[in-house]
Amino acid sequence: MKTLVVCSGGLDSISLAHKVAAEQELAGLLSFDYGQRHGKELDFASLCAERLNVPHRIIDIREIGRGLSGSALTDNVEVPDGHYAEDMMKVTVVPNRNAIMLAIAFGFAAARKSEAVATAVHGGDHFIYPDCRPAFIGAFQMMQDRALEGYANIRLYTPYVNLTKADIVEDGARHGTPFAETWSCYKGGQRHCGRCGTCVERREAFHLCGHPDPTDYEDADFWLDALRRRSV
């Protein structure tokens, strides 16, 4: 399939870009600037596009992002420390983010005669983010089938939707993903903090699959405390 990948610059989406480049025809990468405090992730998406020699477009939806208030990713709200699956991590929800981004991506894919849009939602996202769950993926595909009926037939490709983060690391390694050139941390510092939910999940994933973690964390051991607290 000729596939357009929605790429944030994170480990999941860059692993997906490498997977698509190896197994399909990678049409390009599409990223979104929605005012996220960890906007440096977009630099890593650009690096990925250069590495894979495909077009990359960053769509400015900051005005929309300003209206999606209340999230720790876009507002002056502290990003909590702890495991990704803890209830307090719901403060990182940006309402309807994936639905907005995917609707734009499908429009771009239709205009450019692509056959699929790929996004790297995965099983670890299901607890917090409703627009990462299988039910949403199925419903969105049905909606797009109606929206583009008679004009284009585009598949929403989500190979990681029922996989764990550790599974993604394994798949990324299999396809040569340079994990050091991906960005996960939600706090937007110079280094991965090692304490926010996405850093803890990242560190745990490398541990679970036994792959060396090249990430430079400010606190490389916090993830163990987060796991212990969650199991109590």
Side-chain angles (χ1 to χ4, degrees):
M1 292 184 296
K2 183 180 179 182
T3 302
L4 178 67
V5 173
V6 177
C7 184
S8 67
L11 185 153
D12 307 331
S13 62
I14 288 182
S15 294
L16 179 58
H18 278 261
K19 177 183 183 68
V20 170
E23 298 177 351
Q24 302 176 26
E25 178 184 351
L26 178 59
L29 306 184
L30 193 64
S31 303
F32 295 89
D33 181 353
Y34 57 94
Q36 61 268 48
R37 67 172 65 194
H38 56 301
K40 67 184 297 179
E41 66 177 358
L42 298 174
D43 296 334
F44 291 87
S46 295
L47 284 174
C48 181
E50 291 176 13
R51 186 167 58 248
L52 297 176
N53 194 30
V54 295
H56 178 219
R57 187 157 186 173
I58 299 175
I59 308 300
D60 185 348
I61 56 170
R62 285 176 292 177
E63 185 59 36
I64 295 173
R66 279 189 284 270
L68 306 178
S69 57
S71 172
L73 303 193
T74 55
D75 283 4
N76 188 25
V77 176
E78 185 176 358
V79 176
D81 295 338
H83 195 279
Y84 215 39
E86 294 182 51
D87 192 66
M88 65 181 175
M89 293 300 166
K90 290 182 179 179
V91 74
T92 64
V93 171
V94 178
N96 224 32
R97 177 179 58 177
N98 278 352
I100 293 166
M101 293 179 181
L102 286 173
I104 295 171
F106 265 71
F108 271 74
R112 287 157 179 76
K113 310 302 181 186
S114 293
E115 299 167 279
V117 169
T119 186
V121 298
H122 66 89
D125 293 332
H126 296 173
F127 179 78
I128 304 172
Y129 305 120
D131 58 0
C132 292
R133 297 170 187 161
F136 166 79
I137 297 302
F140 190 89
Q141 180 71 71
M142 290 178 63
M143 183 267 288
Q144 285 299 312
D145 289 345
R146 300 289 80 77
L148 294 170
E149 190 170 8
Y151 182 80
N153 182 19
I154 299 172
R155 176 187 173 192
L156 180 53
Y157 180 54
T158 57
Y160 298 153
V161 69
N162 289 311
L163 301 185
T164 67
K165 188 86 164 190
D167 294 329
I168 295 174
V169 171
E170 288 183 350
D171 189 69
R174 187 160 51 248
H175 293 104
T177 303
F179 296 116
E181 296 180 25
T182 67
W183 186 265
S184 297
C185 184
Y186 280 162
K187 294 189 178 181
Q190 292 302 308
R191 303 163 64 196
H192 281 79
C193 72
R195 301 178 64 91
C196 70
T198 190
C199 278
V200 169
E201 184 194 42
R202 179 184 176 113
R203 183 70 185 85
E204 180 188 20
F206 279 101
H207 170 75
L208 288 174
C209 75
H211 192 281
D213 185 354
T215 313
D216 178 25
Y217 299 100
E218 289 182 7
D219 189 340
D221 297 323
F222 175 81
W223 70 284
L224 292 169
D225 293 331
L227 289 181
R228 279 194 289 268
R229 287 200 305 273
R230 186 175 171 233
S231 64
V232 171

